[in-house]
Amino acid sequence: MNGVRLELRTQTPWWLNLVLPLAAIGLTLVLCSGLIVLAGANVFTAYTKLFLSSLSTPFNLVETVVKATPLVFTGLAVTVAFRAKFWNIGAEGQLLAGAMAAAFIGACEALPAWSLVPLMVLGGALAGSIWALIPAVLKARYKVDDVVTTLLLNFVLYYGMMALLDGPWKDPLSGYPDSPDIRAAAEFPILLRATRLHLGALLAAAAAAAVWLMMRHTTLGFEISAVGENLKASRYAGINIGAVILLTATTSGALAGLAGVGEVGGIHFQVMAGLSPGYGYTGIVIAMLARLNPIGVVPAAIFFAVVITGAEAMSRATGVPVFLADVIQGMSLITMLAALMLTQYRIRANRTEHE
Amino acid sequence: MENPSLLEMRGISKRFGHVRANDGVDLTLNGGDILGLLGENGAGKTTLMNILFGVYTPDSGRIAIAGRPVHIRSSSDALAHGVGMVHQHFHLVARHTVLENLMVGQSGRGIRLDRNFILQRMQDIEQRFGLHLVPGARVSDLTIGEQQRLEIVKALIRGARILILDEPTAALTPQETEGLFTALRAMASQSMGVVFISHKLHEVMAITQRVVILQQGKVAAEVLNDGTISQRRLAELMCGQEISPPSKSSAKPGAVRLRMENLRTPGGARPSLKGVCLKIRGGEILGIAGVSGNGQSELADVIAGMLPPAGGILEINGKPVPRYTPRSMQALGVGRIPEDRMGTGLIPALPLSSCMVLSRIQEFRFSRCGFLKHAAIRRFADQQIESFGIKAAGHQVRTGTLSGGNLQKALLARELAWNPTLLLAAQPTRGLDVAATRFVHQRFLELRDRDCAIVLISEDLEELFALSDRIAVMYEGRIMDILDIQTATVANVGLLMAGVGGSK
């Protein structure tokens, strides 16, 4: 009988870091093509639209970068947290916390105009941090499972926000559940005329570089990796585990908070129900696809930005529902997790012939 | 034509990347044989046995059992062909009873029938080999020796005629080892075949009839153990060089480095220390003997800063420990070699250089204002790799790719770099080959002669007797007695380990 088996690898070749995400994406597209066929469309046309429409005109290209901006932030947030094995599924809630802080500060009439943008950035980062610190403290002090707490706090924050928007924060003019617009001086500067490319994109790129620097060149990054790879050995070596977890959560929450700040300051200028179509969760897929490498987060975020923006064009042209973008996101996470197994194991064919 | 051998392995080769783990290995096992399989770490013993047990498929080569060629693709294949293996780490369900563990994997019959069948087989096995087990006992209540017996019975019940034992005596008392040997001899006398893998040469000498020595994946020698071969000769064959026993000068005890008075640790899931009293001075090695699970790991953790005492006195250099953390113990000059070098000592996924500075990354030498000094870290790692003779392709390799002996050297290199005044070493040579063990012992003796105090916790009595100046025996969380090396014998240490006698 022929078959395959898994064998433990003694070493992981470096090129797997590149090949695995690409293979995972490839497999995802193959698997998703079944859905396109079911939707009655031509697979080739659908994928061409999905990938090329967002890159076809300069405007679309810029829009893709605009879309990628919050994804870079949430991808980085998850990367930092996962490196320490702090399972932060709560980037979504931390993003909203940052957005609320930014909307609040940006609408504050008492502040001098020049201070608004810096204060929004700081305040948003701080709000994200605080929201991430709650599960971190629970984990570090009381060993409460971080997957559960970070995930559930998303809903606490979301419904808390909705309660505010339906009550004290309701737009007095329109009566919609939207927060008041931020002041004009609080709007992020536009980097490219006649586009929506705002300061946030620059901050996101800087954040990717900063996170890389932190992970590679600082004692904190060193300790985060150590704690993530082997908690017990890190404790034995004298690393203060609790402090590392709290600092990781602070950094992670701040990054996710900045995603929200960018959306408020550069795109929506207010907080409303649909502010984030799950950027925090997409951040998890991005971080995994980037194999927790901060620089890899940037291309991974751009890929999903392409998929998300391209989905509209594909839907218009072929009638395939836009939800295909969500399926691709979910499927890439699954295929990537399956592919990660290959970093530790190799597949070998069972040979039946003698010799 | 004579009867075919019970097991024949011919030309077995297996590569992992560029490493030839097995390179044309031939091995023959006859019914009634107890075959010793010797070799340094990385010589290919485990790979060879894993091939026989179906964990790996060989790249080339043939295996025949009782003259019939076989292809073994999984451990259930192996068992179907009568090959059973007892691993160093047991695969038992701790919360289940002995009987329930034996029933796992015995499918195809009704549960009731199965029960009776197993009970009957257990009786049968007890009669034939003297392996006694209580069917209703919970595995978590068994001693290590009993758990091992259960693993052996499990293999026998599934019809093993060839039994592979990987380092079976590592955690046994001398008396338990003797019991194991009696059972193995009974198996051999009933024409079963046994493969005995061990680093303990005196045990290989005591139990085997034939010894196969592997070196770098090849059979280096095959010798009959007929009384003409010496332990020393075996060691030389194994490492391909001459070995001399460590020379030890008499101890010159200095100031008291560590004092414990009625030290207790909290109970719960782990065994607790129930009032440990000991004192150790600079320039001496205090050996700690005991059957595993009698508080040695907890004693080690207390000294390492990992397990805060619940009561009693703990003094380092004559002063109570101010703030009890792993880092403060380091700051007090305690070097620490943990029992589990992979899980507790080092981080397999990180580069070797990171592991070498893991405990000292905050020191000015390796970082400034929170930024790493990569060049200094690399220099330090290279220097230590060189001076400890660590075999690694460089400081950037993943620590997990190093062999056991090199891992231990890396750990020593990290801990000894800061000139500890007290060294805790828990099972420092467990699983190491002769050359690496020799290296570790030599370093310990040098340290001791430089006035360091060493607490040596070991389950290897030979090691304890070779190195210690005094031997403390632990039993159920207490020190039974502390013997001077001049008057201690294996017999009285063995009795103390079993809880018999003692001054307390």
Side-chain angles (χ1 to χ4, degrees):
Chain A
M1 196 183 74
N2 263 313
V4 290
R5 50 187 279 142
L6 295 171
E7 268 191 20
L8 259 177
R9 274 182 196 280
T10 43
Q11 263 170 309
T12 309
W14 63 270
W15 46 263
L16 271 181
N17 288 335
L18 263 168
V19 169
L20 284 183
L22 293 178
I25 289 170
L27 182 60
T28 301
L29 296 183
V30 171
L31 290 171
C32 290
S33 60
L35 291 175
I36 298 176
V37 172
L38 277 178
N42 180 304
V43 174
F44 182 76
T45 337
Y47 278 151
T48 314
K49 280 284 168 202
L50 182 66
F51 290 110
L52 295 187
S53 63
S54 43
L55 309 170
S56 56
T57 67
F59 180 80
N60 285 358
L61 209 61
V62 172
E63 268 305 293
T64 305
V65 176
V66 170
K67 213 43 163 190
T69 300
L71 295 177
V72 169
F73 277 122
T74 55
L76 290 172
V78 175
T79 295
V80 171
F82 280 20
R83 282 285 276 267
K85 297 229 162 73
F86 171 60
W87 301 117
N88 184 7
I89 314 295
E92 185 75 9
Q94 292 141 24
L95 176 152
L96 293 177
M100 285 167 69
F104 181 77
I105 293 167
C108 189
E109 297 291 344
L111 292 167
W114 60 266
S115 71
L116 286 174
V117 171
L119 280 180
M120 281 163 72
V121 169
L122 288 178
L126 189 69
S129 293
I130 291 171
W131 204 245
L133 272 172
I134 300 170
V137 169
L138 288 174
K139 179 188 167 87
R141 278 205 75 89
Y142 306 107
K143 297 195 165 60
V144 182
D145 188 273
D146 40 348
V147 175
V148 176
T149 48
T150 52
L151 175 66
L152 292 183
L153 280 172
N154 288 343
F155 299 101
V156 173
L157 196 105
Y158 178 78
Y159 288 110
M161 180 182 90
M162 290 314 289
L164 267 180
L165 289 179
D166 262 330
W169 235 7
K170 187 182 278 190
D171 193 328
L173 295 178
S174 65
Y176 286 130
D178 296 344
S179 75
D181 277 358
I182 55 174
R183 292 163 58 191
E187 290 176 14
F188 275 17
I190 295 295
L191 302 176
L192 212 59
R193 247 162 45 91
T195 68
R196 298 202 293 170
L197 190 68
H198 57 86
L199 178 68
L202 218 57
L203 290 179
V211 171
W212 176 82
L213 190 77
M214 178 185 91
M215 293 309 296
R216 180 82 186 79
H217 289 285
T218 68
T219 50
L220 177 61
F222 181 94
E223 293 185 342
I224 286 175
S225 303
V227 169
E229 291 294 350
N230 188 337
L231 191 86
K232 197 165 176 215
S234 301
R235 193 158 93 84
Y236 198 91
I239 293 173
N240 186 340
I241 306 292
V244 170
I245 290 177
L246 295 186
L247 282 171
T248 305
T250 308
T251 315
S252 173
L255 287 163
L258 287 176
V261 175
E263 291 305 282
V264 169
I267 307 289
H268 301 293
F269 313 120
Q270 60 174 197
V271 170
M272 72 294 182
L275 182 82
S276 164
Y279 291 141
Y281 301 111
T282 308
I284 299 169
V285 189
I286 289 168
M288 293 309 290
L289 215 54
R291 296 218 51 208
L292 305 187
N293 177 331
I295 299 300
V297 162
V298 176
I302 289 175
F303 171 75
F304 282 108
V306 165
V307 171
I308 293 169
T309 48
E312 302 267 350
M314 175 199 68
S315 180
R316 276 195 304 275
T318 64
V320 178
V322 289
F323 300 115
L324 186 71
D326 296 332
V327 178
I328 290 179
Q329 280 183 39
M331 191 64 83
S332 344
L333 181 58
I334 295 172
T335 52
M336 190 62 201
L337 289 176
L340 281 178
M341 189 182 64
L342 297 177
T343 59
Q344 302 212 23
Y345 296 91
R346 66 165 87 208
I347 297 176
R348 286 182 70 97
N350 260 337
R351 286 178 306 173
T352 43
E353 68 273 30
H354 291 219
E355 211 33 87
Chain B
M1 208 181 129
E2 61 181 305
N3 277 343
S5 310
L6 185 55
L7 168 71
E8 282 219 22
M9 298 177 88
R10 284 285 165 267
I12 302 289
S13 294
K14 177 76 183 169
R15 297 172 68 116
F16 294 107
H18 300 295
V19 183
R20 286 174 182 275
N22 282 163
D23 190 359
V25 175
D26 293 339
L27 187 130
T28 308
L29 183 70
N30 295 310
D33 256 1
I34 300 182
L35 176 76
L37 189 57
L38 275 179
E40 299 202 82
N41 285 320
K45 303 176 304 257
T46 309
T47 306
L48 186 66
M49 289 302 112
N50 277 335
I51 286 172
L52 181 55
F53 195 56
V55 179
Y56 296 130
T57 36
D59 296 335
S60 64
R62 287 170 296 139
I63 302 176
I65 288 175
R68 284 216 316 272
V70 292
H71 290 279
I72 301 172
R73 291 196 197 85
S74 65
S75 51
S76 45
D77 260 12
L79 284 162
H81 286 116
V83 178
M85 184 157 178
V86 176
H87 294 271
Q88 224 171 324
H89 304 285
F90 304 139
H91 301 165
L92 297 169
V93 185
R95 293 169 64 177
H96 283 187
T97 63
V98 167
L99 186 66
E100 284 161 350
N101 268 280
L102 290 173
M103 285 167 66
V104 172
Q106 295 276 336
S107 52
R109 272 177 284 262
I111 285 181
R112 271 202 82 77
L113 265 173
D114 218 30
R115 244 183 102 84
N116 293 333
F117 172 76
I118 302 255
L119 284 170
Q120 201 186 329
R121 293 284 286 136
M122 278 179 76
Q123 251 173 24
D124 181 40
I125 285 166
E126 181 170 348
Q127 263 166 22
R128 283 172 63 194
F129 309 115
L131 291 165
H132 173 72
L133 283 170
V134 181
R138 232 163 254 294
V139 168
S140 48
D141 298 334
L142 301 184
T143 64
I144 299 289
E146 286 167 332
Q147 290 183 26
Q148 182 184 60
R149 211 175 301 154
L150 174 55
E151 282 281 11
I152 295 174
V153 170
K154 203 163 92 182
L156 293 176
I157 279 189
R158 295 186 191 177
R161 285 169 300 149
I162 299 168
L163 192 66
I164 309 164
L165 298 153
D166 191 2
E167 295 276 348
T169 59
L172 302 186
T173 63
Q175 286 82 358
E176 282 174 324
T177 301
E178 214 28 71
L180 171 69
F181 284 2
T182 310
L184 295 185
R185 287 194 189 101
M187 289 176 204
S189 73
Q190 293 169 51
S191 34
M192 281 181 56
V194 176
V195 181
F196 185 88
I197 305 175
S198 179
H199 285 304
K200 297 186 187 172
L201 296 176
H202 63 279
E203 289 176 355
V204 171
M205 301 277 295
I207 184 76
T208 64
Q209 289 132 24
R210 206 153 47 86
V211 182
V212 168
I213 295 154
L214 291 183
Q215 222 182 71
Q216 293 174 0
K218 291 187 183 144
V219 176
E222 183 168 345
V223 292
L224 277 179
N225 183 10
D226 53 4
T228 57
I229 190 135
S230 71
Q231 197 169 318
R232 185 143 161 220
R233 179 76 195 122
L234 278 182
E236 285 167 7
L237 284 171
M238 221 161 102
C239 7
Q241 63 187 47
E242 293 213 5
I243 299 287
S244 55
S247 55
K248 192 172 136 200
S249 55
S250 57
K252 297 176 200 68
V256 175
R257 292 280 157 74
L258 170 72
R259 188 168 82 92
M260 290 182 174
E261 208 63 60
N262 195 23
L263 190 100
R264 293 180 305 278
T265 59
R270 309 180 61 175
S272 57
L273 299 182
K274 302 182 179 103
V276 168
C277 304
L278 56 81
K279 203 190 271 182
I280 168 162
R281 295 172 179 278
E284 69 166 349
I285 298 180
L286 175 70
I288 310 275
V291 178
S292 65
N294 276 287
Q296 302 96 304
S297 300
E298 289 66 31
L299 179 69
D301 278 354
V302 166
I303 300 174
M306 295 285 277
L307 179 64
I313 295 170
L314 173 66
E315 281 181 6
I316 307 256
N317 296 326
K319 285 186 223 90
V321 178
R323 200 173 152 266
Y324 183 88
T325 62
R327 192 157 272 173
S328 64
M329 293 308 258
Q330 284 178 47
L332 289 168
V334 183
R336 303 154 315 140
I337 309 289
E339 181 176 335
D340 175 13
R341 58 187 82 103
M342 265 289 213
T344 314
L346 302 164
I347 303 183
L350 291 189
L352 182 57
S353 56
S354 299
C355 283
M356 300 260 255
V357 297
L358 191 60
S359 51
R360 303 284 175 171
I361 197 65
Q362 301 282 3
E363 307 245 343
F364 184 69
R365 183 167 172 189
F366 298 130
S367 67
R368 190 174 50 209
C369 308
F371 280 87
L372 300 174
K373 294 179 177 171
H374 282 296
I377 293 171
R378 277 197 298 272
R379 254 201 320 279
F380 172 78
D382 284 339
Q383 184 193 318
Q384 294 301 85
I385 287 172
E386 162 126 19
S387 70
F388 279 77
I390 299 166
K391 284 199 199 94
H395 58 251
Q396 77 290 348
V397 298
R398 267 178 53 188
T399 307
T401 62
L402 269 64
S403 73
N406 285 306
L407 286 173
Q408 193 67 313
K409 283 182 183 176
L411 202 47
L412 279 175
R414 176 174 95 197
E415 295 301 316
L416 302 192
W418 305 88
N419 299 317
T421 51
L422 170 68
L423 180 71
L424 161 77
Q427 317 297 349
T429 60
R430 181 188 276 172
L432 297 196
D433 58 44
V434 177
T437 301
R438 178 58 35 100
F439 179 90
V440 171
H441 288 173
Q442 216 83 59
R443 289 282 166 154
F444 283 0
L445 289 173
E446 280 166 34
L447 267 175
R448 156 188 178 264
D449 293 341
R450 290 207 309 259
D451 200 38
C452 178
I454 300 178
V455 180
L456 172 67
I457 300 177
S458 178
E459 276 157 9
D460 182 348
L461 286 182
E462 213 187 345
E463 169 172 83
L464 286 175
F465 276 88
L467 293 184
S468 308
D469 298 304
R470 290 182 299 142
I471 295 184
V473 185
M474 287 195 79
Y475 181 74
E476 297 204 326
R478 288 191 185 85
I479 304 274
M480 288 290 284
D481 203 354
I482 301 183
L483 308 172
D484 203 81
I485 195 66
Q486 263 82 37
T487 54
T489 64
V490 174
N492 60 27
V493 168
L495 285 174
L496 289 168
M497 281 166 74
V500 182
S503 59
K504 281 160 200 169

